[in-house]
Amino acid sequence: MTTPAAAPVPYAEFDGHPATEDDLRTAAFFNYGHFTAMQVREGRVRGLRLHLDRLDGANRALFELPLDGRRVRELIRHALRGAGVVDGSVRVHGFLPPGATATTVMVTVRGPARMPTGPKSMMSVPYARTVPHLKRPGEFGQTYYGNLASRAGFDDAVLTLPDGSVTEGSFTNIGFWDGDSVVWPQAPALLGTTMALLEQEFPGMGVRSRHSPVTLDGLGAYRSAFVTNSQGMAPVRRIDDTAFTVDEELMRRLEAAYERAPWDTV
């Protein structure tokens, strides 16, 4: 028997059917909505409940409508089958096109991805996202400042408030290590799923963590730093002119904590 060929990636479905031109116009011209991004391996996801809760919460906040997790799981499974893969980078988007009374769900599938693990240099930029607790498409400011940092010779940008408070990376959470605890900036930011999973698993690893204000002029108080997102984590070697120790033991402990998080079948 001949195995069916996998669909070209990126692959997209809308409400369980392969994307049509009309569907893609919705995404292109009406991008008021929300999404979550996840890495799928063998049909499983770490922190799936966090992703489903994020989608439901954002859908209620934007459209005053629930987004049923069982429906979302079925749409993800259907899109993976349509793409002919069990491993991939999956995004689930929620839209409410003009005149619609039910949320349109777009699921996209790309190849698997992992964050490069090399130490990152980051440039501070004066930018704060609107309603940062919601994950939304079309984030011009984050992309703009990320590109600006790249052109200046940095790997990425770190977002800051007018008072110099550090909030998050352009598309990452950022954490700091003071030699005793992981410190997450106490500031408006998206709660990333990898960050949430680390916090969930830290107690079992004997790792302390806390949320506390972090400012650019106070970066010298921290020995090391790192960033996380759905693709993994990486150490930070400097922010602007402040250098950090690339602590390989710390990164091993973070990876071990993340590996403790269970896989959920989609």
Side-chain angles (χ1 to χ4, degrees), residues 38-51:
M38 63 190 76
Q39 292 296 313
V40 180
R41 300 294 184 269
E42 297 182 352
R44 301 176 303 157
V45 177
R46 278 197 173 98
L48 180 60
R49 174 49 54 189
L50 297 172
H51 289 287

Side-chain angles (χ1 to χ4, degrees), residues 204-225:
M205 296 287 296
V207 177
R208 286 191 281 266
S209 69
R210 69 180 193 275
H211 293 251
S212 183
V214 176
T215 60
L216 290 175
D217 61 8
L219 290 178
Y222 302 100
R223 192 170 77 189
S224 301

Side-chain angles (χ1 to χ4, degrees), residues 94-236:
F95 302 100
L96 189 67
T101 58
T103 306
T104 294
V105 177
M106 177 178 74
V107 181
T108 64
V109 182
R110 297 175 181 266
R114 182 168 177 81
M115 182 189 296
T117 58
K120 295 185 180 296
S121 60
M122 304 185 76
M123 183 177 82
S124 65
V125 299
Y127 180 72
R129 295 189 301 115
T130 305
V131 287
H133 64 288
L134 299 181
K135 191 173 180 70
R136 308 179 310 279
E139 291 287 6
F140 174 86
Q142 292 162 262
T143 302
Y144 171 78
Y145 281 112
N147 290 340
L148 197 68
S150 179
R151 291 199 296 270
F154 292 82
D155 296 307
D156 202 356
V158 60
L159 312 184
T160 65
L161 302 179
D163 65 358
S165 294
V166 172
T167 61
E168 55 193 331
S170 60
F171 292 99
T172 59
N173 289 117
I174 187 165
F176 298 87
W177 177 248
D178 64 5
D180 178 70
S181 302
V182 169
V183 179
W184 304 105
Q186 186 176 310
L190 180 73
L191 174 59
T193 54
T194 298
M195 173 184 170
L197 288 173
L198 287 175
E199 289 199 288
Q200 170 186 297
E201 299 300 329
F202 277 165
M205 296 287 296
V207 177
R208 286 191 281 266
S209 69
R210 69 180 193 275
H211 293 251
S212 183
V214 176
T215 60
L216 290 175
D217 61 8
L219 290 178
Y222 302 100
R223 192 170 77 189
S224 301
F226 61 94
V227 291
T228 70
N229 66 16
S230 64
Q231 297 183 7
M233 62 193 76
V236 173

Side-chain angles (χ1 to χ4, degrees), residues 198 201 205 251-261:
L198 287 175
E201 299 300 329
M205 296 287 296
M251 297 310 299
R252 281 193 291 269
R253 294 179 74 185
L254 296 177
E255 287 286 353
Y258 184 64
E259 291 295 329
R260 281 173 56 97

Side-chain angles (χ1 to χ4, degrees), residues 42-63:
E42 297 182 352
R44 301 176 303 157
V45 177
R46 278 197 173 98
L48 180 60
R49 174 49 54 189
L50 297 172
H51 289 287
L52 298 179
D53 288 348
R54 170 188 283 171
L55 291 168
D56 182 60
N59 213 65
R60 292 173 186 270
L62 295 181
F63 310 133

